[in-house]
Amino acid sequence: MRWGALWLLPLFAAWANVHGGFVAGLMMIAVAFGLEAMSAMAGNAAGARRAGILLLLGGGSGIGNANQPLRHRAVPLGGSAAGRPVFMDLHQEWRSPDFHSAGAIRYELLLLLFPALLAVTARRPNLIELALSVLWLHFALTGFRYVALWVVVAVPLMARSSAAIEWVNAWAVKAGLSTEPGSLYHTPRDPSPWLWSAVIAVALLGGAKALEGRYAAHNQEIIASRMLDRFLTHLEAWQEKHERRR
């Protein structure tokens, strides 16, 4: 973990304004910080330095969360909806993946390959890699909407693990899939990759704020979000009345 990771701050600000899934990013920072803090308490100086960076990243991300329409209510509101069985059971994306569906092969192979790679590779994942991969694997198996997030978290670990398998390396060299200059997979090193990320994030955030409500508006006839709010209000009243009867 280096100070360059702080370039994620403007991306968090933009993420919080375009999709509610930014909570997943906050969770990953919290898990990584907890593990690094425990490492620091065990006397690891490097762990203490990384924990400090993660603390700044988490605090800055929280400020970015406040710069969106729902402000501080976004996380409690999402948690409240996700904690209601009637809400979870009505939405397919909150249910466990259906491995009988025709498209299940797209993620089923990755789910099976994950433990197989960790078993045969010579590289052992660090604690944060393993914790985040297993955490999101749990979420992916309990809710279909988390499968894509697990893929984003686990595939880099799987790629590093596969690079430590000798016969995979031999096949890659034979197939010309190296990372040397001139190869398809060669990535030129940018001296300041964070700068362009920050510029793009600020431009997206500023542009979204400037164009907000000018060219598109939420149509209640298509997605009746106000009706959903009324439904949740009536549900809370019913639950209170039902609990009193019990």
Side-chain angles (χ1 to χ4, degrees):
M1 175 65 65
R2 300 177 181 175
W3 291 104
L6 296 180
W7 68 267
L8 291 171
L9 289 175
L11 293 185
F12 261 99
W15 190 4
N17 280 271
V18 297
H19 195 269
F22 72 93
V23 178
L26 297 178
M27 288 180 58
M28 286 189 277
I29 294 175
V31 171
F33 171 75
L35 293 174
E36 294 292 7
M38 288 190 291
S39 176
M41 288 188 290
N44 188 341
R49 179 179 60 84
R50 292 191 294 266
I53 297 174
L54 286 166
L55 184 62
L56 290 176
L57 182 59
S61 301
I63 296 174
N65 168 39
N67 187 29
Q68 45 100 358
L70 292 177
R71 302 292 191 270
H72 61 281
R73 297 188 297 119
V75 176
L77 183 62
S80 175
R84 301 176 185 275
V86 65
F87 179 83
M88 303 288 284
D89 294 339
L90 287 175
H91 292 75
Q92 180 62 37
E93 63 176 329
W94 290 100
R95 299 178 182 177
S96 297
D98 181 9
F99 292 101
H100 294 281
S101 64
I105 194 68
R106 295 174 298 174
Y107 49 86
E108 182 182 5
L109 288 178
L110 275 177
L111 291 171
L112 295 173
L113 186 61
F114 176 68
L117 273 177
L118 296 184
V120 301
T121 183
R123 179 186 183 274
R124 291 293 175 259
N126 61 51
L127 189 57
I128 292 180
E129 288 177 325
L130 187 60
L132 290 177
S133 297
V134 172
L135 174 66
W136 288 106
L137 177 59
H138 161 72
F139 284 132
L141 292 175
T142 55
F144 179 72
R145 66 177 298 155
Y146 298 115
V147 171
L149 281 172
W150 174 78
V151 170
V152 171
V153 172
V155 163
L157 170 59
M158 296 169 68
R160 298 187 192 103
S161 299
S162 63
I165 302 175
E166 292 185 4
W167 67 265
V168 172
N169 280 327
W171 174 83
V173 171
K174 185 177 180 180
L177 303 180
S178 68
T179 57
E180 298 299 325
S183 170
L184 176 64
Y185 294 92
H186 173 66
T187 303
R189 186 175 296 276
D190 191 334
S192 56
W194 61 269
L195 178 60
W196 285 111
S197 298
V199 169
I200 293 173
V202 171
L204 287 174
L205 181 60
K209 287 291 186 182
L211 298 176
E212 185 176 3
R214 292 190 178 185
Y215 301 100
H218 182 69
N219 189 339
Q220 291 292 327
E221 295 181 359
I222 299 176
I223 303 178
S225 60
R226 295 195 188 101
M227 184 60 68
L228 177 60
D229 293 337
R230 292 179 59 187
F231 170 76
L232 292 176
T233 301
H234 287 297
L235 176 62
E236 289 179 355
W238 181 88
Q239 286 180 329
E240 291 179 0
K241 183 178 180 181
H242 183 69
E243 289 174 357
R244 280 200 294 269
R245 285 182 176 180
R246 293 178 61 186

